[in-house]
Amino acid sequence: MLYELTILVLITVFSYFTIQCYNSNKRKKVAKVKNLYFYPFKSLKGIQVDEIKLTEYGVEYKGIMDRQFIVCNNDQGLDMTSVYKLILVSVEIVGVKTLRLTAPGMESVILETPSDSKDIITVKLDYTTGEAVLCNPEVGEWFTRFLQFDTHLQVASFKKDGRHKRRPIHNPEFQQFIRTNDEIAFQYSGHILLINEESYLHLKSICKELESPLVFRPNIIVNEAKAWEEDKWKCEIAINNCHLYFFRPCDRCRVTCVNNKTGQLDSKVTVLRTLGKFRPKVLNSPTFGVVFMCKKYGEIRIGDEMIKN
């Protein structure tokens, strides 16, 4: 009887440690959150923050969604692919859902988040459409003067639960990662853009003219991972109490060659050509960074560990 009991105990202990070892190998730390960024406006400067909230539309900070606001020319949303000077506009949160915008040579202007009861327009952007609520007209007039447009510009705020759902832009190669009910605000292709600091430093060692990782407009910068390790993160990851799932590598365009200090395309910036020499391509464009979608919502803070499931 004692012999059988001993064998049973040994089997139980062995099974326990085997399971723990399996779980440890399956779930492991792959990186750590170093910086967090939030972009209230499409293509304007971002804001560095200490924590972010993840929702069904992506990043949120102090009640404002990431890429919630957009400058419009009639029903066409504007971004840096066509209007480089947008990057010269700085954004500051100055009250409850209230922003201050500043730009070179301009007095600042205050934007107040409109209620859903105001004028609603349909905004075209990136081959998709989404509904938005018009903001106070003086902000549109401010952008008209700063960008020197002949037509009157408007500023609009993304409308949740609109009739037109903005779906993430994807490539058939990554179709298996798509969830049909996912929605985005005025982001380009997904909820969150994550870049690896070591990958950026490797790229900067080749492209000396790179001044900041912010030219890639990330939401999350992680460290404590090897360069290009993010290419292996085609999986679900957990950060704090949030779960994110891989959506696609981020394809890059000429926006990475726009000088963020002058708002002009800089022919001396070779980052796009350099990436094209050694990085995988999506939609015939070189990739840098990874796009993730939110699966389980919560908060992410600087210093949080990133766990690969």
Side-chain angles (χ1 to χ4, degrees), residues 79-91:
D79 61 20
M80 277 178 63
T81 60
S82 57
V83 186
Y84 304 140
K85 283 182 66 176
L86 285 169
I87 191 57
L88 298 180
V89 181
S90 298
V91 185

Side-chain angles (χ1 to χ4, degrees), residues 160 163 246:
K160 296 181 181 179
R163 292 175 301 168
F246 169 84

Side-chain angles (χ1 to χ4, degrees), residues 20-263:
Q20 292 301 310
C21 183
Y22 173 78
N23 288 336
S24 177
N25 289 331
K26 187 179 179 182
R27 288 175 51 86
K28 63 177 182 179
K29 172 189 169 183
V30 293
K32 191 174 183 178
V33 176
K34 182 180 180 181
N35 298 111
L36 295 168
Y37 298 93
F38 159 69
Y39 304 84
F41 254 90
K42 179 74 174 179
S43 291
L44 272 57
K45 290 186 186 298
I47 301 173
Q48 186 169 358
V49 296
D50 294 329
E51 62 180 10
I52 55 176
K53 180 180 179 181
L54 299 192
T55 74
E56 67 269 31
Y57 292 98
V59 172
E60 184 178 293
Y61 181 75
K62 292 189 175 181
I64 299 174
M65 293 185 291
D66 192 59
R67 274 83 167 190
Q68 175 173 331
F69 300 96
I70 191 168
V71 182
C72 304
N73 186 10
N74 294 317
D75 63 350
Q76 181 62 52
L78 303 182
D79 61 20
M80 277 178 63
T81 60
S82 57
V83 186
Y84 304 140
K85 283 182 66 176
L86 285 169
I87 191 57
L88 298 180
V89 181
S90 298
V91 185
E92 179 187 3
I93 299 175
V94 294
V96 178
K97 297 185 179 182
T98 303
L99 306 176
R100 177 188 289 122
L101 308 180
T102 57
M106 299 286 291
E107 293 184 357
S108 63
V109 65
I110 297 296
L111 181 151
E112 296 180 354
T113 303
S115 67
D116 285 348
S117 62
K118 291 193 175 182
D119 295 334
I120 297 173
I121 63 171
T122 299
V123 179
K124 299 176 183 177
L125 182 71
D126 299 326
Y127 311 106
T128 63
T129 59
E131 288 187 333
V133 184
L134 288 177
C135 300
N136 39 317
E138 59 268 26
V139 184
E141 295 168 1
W142 187 88
F143 274 103
T144 302
R145 295 196 308 274
F146 176 64
L147 298 176
Q148 298 179 328
F149 264 63
D150 295 329
T151 55
H152 177 68
L153 300 178
Q154 298 174 305
V155 171
S157 170
F158 178 78
K159 181 178 176 6
K160 296 181 181 179
D161 303 319
R163 292 175 301 168
H164 300 284
K165 309 294 184 184
R166 291 202 74 236
R167 304 298 185 187
I169 296 175
H170 65 275
N171 184 282
E173 180 182 354
F174 306 105
Q175 184 69 38
Q176 70 269 29
F177 300 108
I178 306 300
R179 297 194 310 176
T180 56
N181 61 335
D182 282 328
E183 295 182 50
I184 56 176
F186 291 119
Q187 303 98 320
Y188 166 57
S189 64
H191 286 157
I192 292 175
L193 175 61
L194 181 149
I195 68 173
N196 178 0
E197 182 184 48
E198 284 301 315
S199 301
Y200 168 76
L201 292 175
H202 176 245
L203 180 61
K204 183 174 174 58
S205 70
I206 306 170
C207 296
K208 305 295 185 183
E209 70 273 14
L210 267 177
E211 294 185 355
S212 167
L214 296 185
V215 298
F216 299 106
R217 301 183 68 76
N219 294 109
I220 301 175
I221 298 180
V222 298
N223 60 3
E224 299 187 13
K226 295 179 181 178
W228 313 114
E229 192 74 13
E230 64 271 26
D231 291 341
K232 302 176 183 178
W233 297 342
K234 294 181 174 67
C235 59
E236 185 175 315
I237 63 171
I239 305 177
N240 194 15
N241 55 354
C242 303
H243 287 193
L244 313 173
Y245 74 89
F246 169 84
F247 182 58
R248 57 179 283 178
C250 186
D251 53 304
R252 292 300 172 176
C253 65
R254 64 177 181 268
V255 165
T256 58
C257 301
V258 175
N259 187 311
N260 287 6
K261 296 179 180 178
T262 65

